Amino acid sequence: MREVFVRSSSVLVLLILIALPLFLSITPSIAWRPWPNHYNSSDFQFGGSKKYEGSSEFVHLKYHMGPVLTAHITVHTIWYGAWQKSQKKIIREFINSMSAVDSKSPSVSGWWKIVQLYTDQTGANISRNVHLGAEKNDRFYSHGKSLTRLSIQSVIKSAISSSTNPLPINSGSGLYLLLTSDDVYVQDFCRQVCGFHYFTFPSIVGYTLPYAWIGNSAKQCPGVCAYPFAVPDFIPGLKPFKSPNGDVGVDGMISVIGHEIAELATNPLVNAWYAGQDPSFPVEIADLCEGIYGTGGGGSYTGQLLDGHDGATYNMNGIRRRFLVQWVWNHVVNYCSGPNALDQ
């Protein structure tokens, strides 16, 4: 997953190129932002004639022989800060919907089937089974309300070594999902990232564990990280969509969570499926489809979506709820795919 920087001039580009090696050596984690940095006013004309779901000519996604998650995937969750029960229910159902067999089409499980197409060097596919594992509540902000990338790993260490109800240590098929509430500040949050994934360092945590962090942007930057349920102040006249579960911050998190879990499954140790030559700055299967949620998506246009009777916008169904989740790269057909595609 790649960092996204705002480039306003050639001078800034030069400075970034000079500083990039140092930046990567300090913060190796890789991150996601929900849309491109550059906008064209025509991108906001929601017509049906566009079809920009990726380009097979320029994308060279490769397998680098590292492990992928072929065993049953268990997602262990750390709720850091103040979380409402209703918010937890939305996120729990999304995770459990990945393996649901009876969801209405287009479904979250249909989206996960695209992730399942990826294999390891033995030909074994990503597991079909994704389920919610143990959960840890850190409602008293054990490491404060301002976290760095390294202190995020300390939060995980606290969760697995707690004297009461510690999270299980599962390095083979376990994923650790750290979710921060809307009053927690995280390094680079809103400015460069909405979430990122990496693996823990044994020197900090004691184990190498794939993990992801995603923040609730409701109070800090909903127009950046909860788009299209909120829009940036610098884009006049663009109306936000109605969120399907009535919580702009959490509904915005859902797509980021999906993005991170898909890439953790296909590139858990940053040495499996990615494009580019630098494993510390890879372009992964969800990065290739940032901002694309339906047929015709590209630029700042989301693509063709679904509208509920209540006016809410979504593109796939869970067990009972509806969600808006970005598409992922399908390496079999060499373009971005999703279960709500009109031409599949």
Side-chain angles (χ1 to χ4, degrees), residues 280-301:
S280 65
F281 203 65
V283 179
E284 300 170 272
I285 71 166
D287 297 325
L288 292 165
C289 305
E290 282 183 1
I292 298 177
Y293 300 84
T295 298
S300 300
Y301 171 59

Side-chain angles (χ1 to χ4, degrees), residues 23-300:
F23 176 82
L24 290 175
S25 67
I26 298 173
T27 56
S29 299
I30 34 192
W32 177 88
R33 195 168 183 175
W35 55 16
N37 288 319
H38 304 292
Y39 306 94
N40 185 307
S41 60
S42 64
D43 289 336
F44 298 104
Q45 303 302 315
F46 284 42
S49 61
K50 292 188 174 183
K51 195 173 188 304
Y52 302 146
E53 295 99 17
S55 171
S56 60
E57 181 179 356
F58 300 108
V59 175
H60 300 287
L61 187 75
K62 295 181 180 179
Y63 177 54
H64 298 265
M65 305 304 288
V68 300
L69 300 186
T70 57
H72 290 0
I73 299 170
T74 304
V75 181
H76 302 299
T77 308
I78 303 170
W79 304 96
Y80 192 87
W83 287 93
Q84 300 173 16
K85 290 182 179 179
S86 60
Q87 294 177 320
K88 292 181 178 181
K89 287 180 179 179
I90 295 169
I91 294 172
R92 286 170 182 151
E93 180 174 325
F94 173 66
I95 294 171
N96 285 326
S97 293
M98 293 181 187
S99 296
V101 296
D102 55 356
S103 298
K104 180 181 177 182
S105 182
S107 66
V108 175
S109 57
W111 172 83
W112 186 254
K113 286 180 180 178
I114 301 168
V115 180
Q116 287 179 249
L117 294 173
Y118 290 86
T119 62
D120 65 9
Q121 56 188 304
T122 70
N125 292 84
I126 299 291
S127 176
R128 188 190 74 81
N129 298 294
V130 181
H131 68 274
L132 195 65
E135 300 181 53
K136 187 69 176 177
N137 292 301
D138 196 335
R139 62 177 62 89
F140 297 114
Y141 309 88
S142 64
H143 291 261
K145 288 190 175 183
S146 182
L147 302 176
T148 65
R149 293 177 183 244
L150 288 181
S151 66
I152 281 175
Q153 296 204 19
S154 297
V155 174
I156 297 173
K157 176 178 174 59
S158 295
I160 65 172
S161 60
S162 174
S163 59
T164 58
N165 301 318
L167 291 183
I169 298 168
N170 185 347
S171 58
S173 60
L175 305 180
Y176 295 80
L177 198 62
L178 174 59
L179 306 176
T180 51
S181 58
D182 58 15
D183 58 345
V184 177
Y185 295 86
V186 175
Q187 180 183 354
D188 297 325
F189 188 29
C190 296
R191 296 186 302 275
Q192 294 175 2
V193 301
C194 300
F196 63 77
H197 79 85
Y198 208 59
F199 52 84
T200 60
F201 303 144
S203 59
I204 298 176
V205 180
Y207 305 89
T208 300
L209 305 172
Y211 76 93
W213 158 78
I214 299 96
N216 186 337
S217 66
K219 292 182 179 178
Q220 299 179 51
C221 59
V224 176
C225 293
Y227 177 84
F229 303 125
V231 296
D233 295 334
F234 58 81
I235 305 180
L238 184 65
K239 294 182 179 180
F241 294 155
K242 182 179 179 181
S243 65
N245 296 290
D247 190 309
V248 168
V250 173
D251 276 317
M253 291 178 71
I254 291 298
S255 189
V256 191
I257 291 171
H259 181 120
E260 302 300 345
I261 291 178
E263 294 188 340
L264 279 169
T266 55
N267 198 27
L269 300 181
V270 201
N271 60 359
W273 288 94
Y274 64 87
Q277 301 302 315
D278 187 353
S280 65
F281 203 65
V283 179
E284 300 170 272
I285 71 166
D287 297 325
L288 292 165
C289 305
E290 282 183 1
I292 298 177
Y293 300 84
T295 298
S300 300

Side-chain angles (χ1 to χ4, degrees), residues 324-338:
L324 182 66
V325 185
Q326 71 150 92
W327 286 8
V328 292
W329 187 259
N330 183 331
H331 73 296
V332 175
V333 295
N334 226 30
Y335 56 78
C336 296
S337 297

